[in-house]
Amino acid sequence: TFYNQIDLYRYRDLLIVEGENDVLSVMGADINNVIGLIGQPAEYQVNALKSACKGKQLYLWLDNDEGGKGFIRKICDALQGYNVRIITYTEEIKDPDEYVRKYKGDRKKEIKRLQAESLDYISWELAEIDRIEGLEKRLKALKDRGIFRALGEMIESEKLVYIEKLKAWGLTEKAIIEEIDLSLSWDLLEEIT
């Protein structure tokens, strides 16, 4: 069950928020293609998204806290291969409800702008990891969050874009390729065993 669940099946583009107030604020901005998770996404909700959203464009606009970031990871992990984008906003604002209420201009236009500037999952994770101080801690986060494995599964032209971003942090291309190969080797070893 979701807040405004009927929209899960009604629209091709879908904005996903956490709570009822988030849904109401977005709808108050004259955007109706929005559903709410009712807090933490449950397995049945993730399964509903998997079955109802293949071929749709999903925008995750979740709370700006560790819980919301964890929910993004959970949903993106389950919906690999789906069209999922993440809406980002300043850390001073805690959730979409507050964002919409504080915005003084055309709220509908602003939400559309946020959607247009949304990030794919890997770009979002890299932006999150970029906030971590120190190359070793960043490298650990890249490994823990499966970024090297994800890069290994990309087509070469996509992969090169992300490799350039990682090189800007001070990683060498050789080290990045080795980490990608190593992560794919571990996946293969797990499958074999």
Side-chain angles (χ1 to χ4, degrees):
T1 311
F2 299 90
Y3 290 120
N4 202 30
Q5 182 163 334
I6 191 73
D7 285 356
L8 179 62
Y9 307 100
R10 186 180 292 171
Y11 295 100
R12 184 161 167 70
D13 284 5
L14 193 60
L15 189 57
I16 300 172
V17 296
E18 278 186 52
E20 182 178 16
N21 289 337
D22 299 325
V23 171
L24 294 173
S25 287
V26 171
M27 291 178 80
D30 200 27
I31 293 181
N32 296 315
N33 56 327
V34 58
I35 63 170
L37 295 170
I38 313 173
Q40 179 174 342
E43 282 306 311
Y44 71 87
Q45 289 176 308
V46 173
N47 290 334
L49 291 172
K50 283 172 97 170
S51 67
C53 295
K54 192 73 171 169
K56 292 185 179 193
Q57 179 65 63
L58 304 178
Y59 296 93
L60 300 179
W61 192 11
L62 303 182
D63 289 3
N64 222 356
D65 57 18
E66 288 308 309
K69 292 172 185 181
F71 302 160
I72 288 170
R73 290 182 181 105
K74 179 178 182 176
I75 292 169
C76 288
D77 185 52
L79 299 181
Q80 290 180 28
Y82 287 61
N83 299 320
V84 180
R85 308 279 300 174
I86 296 111
I87 293 177
T88 60
Y89 50 108
T90 63
E91 289 186 26
E92 297 81 41
I93 302 209
K94 67 176 183 153
D95 60 21
D97 172 48
E98 182 181 348
Y99 190 96
V100 173
R101 283 187 295 108
K102 285 186 173 182
Y103 190 77
K104 298 300 179 203
D106 183 332
R107 292 176 174 146
K108 181 176 184 175
K109 190 174 183 179
E110 175 63 6
I111 293 170
K112 294 295 184 185
R113 183 193 66 78
L114 290 171
Q115 287 176 290
E117 295 177 3
S118 62
L119 302 174
D120 63 86
Y121 177 67
I122 301 297
S123 294
W124 176 80
E125 276 290 12
L126 292 180
E128 289 295 309
I129 294 169
D130 193 37
R131 296 178 183 167
I132 297 171
E133 292 293 326
L135 189 57
E136 288 300 317
K137 289 180 182 177
R138 285 181 180 176
L139 186 59
K140 181 179 179 343
L142 289 166
K143 291 176 185 178
D144 291 348
R145 297 179 191 176
I147 302 303
F148 292 117
R149 183 183 68 246
L151 294 179
E153 295 170 354
M154 290 181 179
I155 60 172
E156 204 60 32
S157 59
E158 277 184 316
K159 187 187 312 181
L160 292 174
V161 170
Y162 295 109
I163 287 174
E164 289 303 314
K165 289 181 181 184
L166 294 177
K167 284 169 53 179
W169 289 352
L171 293 169
T172 66
E173 187 166 344
K174 180 181 177 192
I176 295 165
I177 299 298
E178 286 174 2
E179 287 295 339
I180 291 170
D181 291 345
L182 184 61
S183 69
L184 294 175
S185 298
W186 280 111
D187 289 348
L188 182 60
L189 183 61
E190 284 180 14
E191 285 181 36
I192 291 171
T193 55

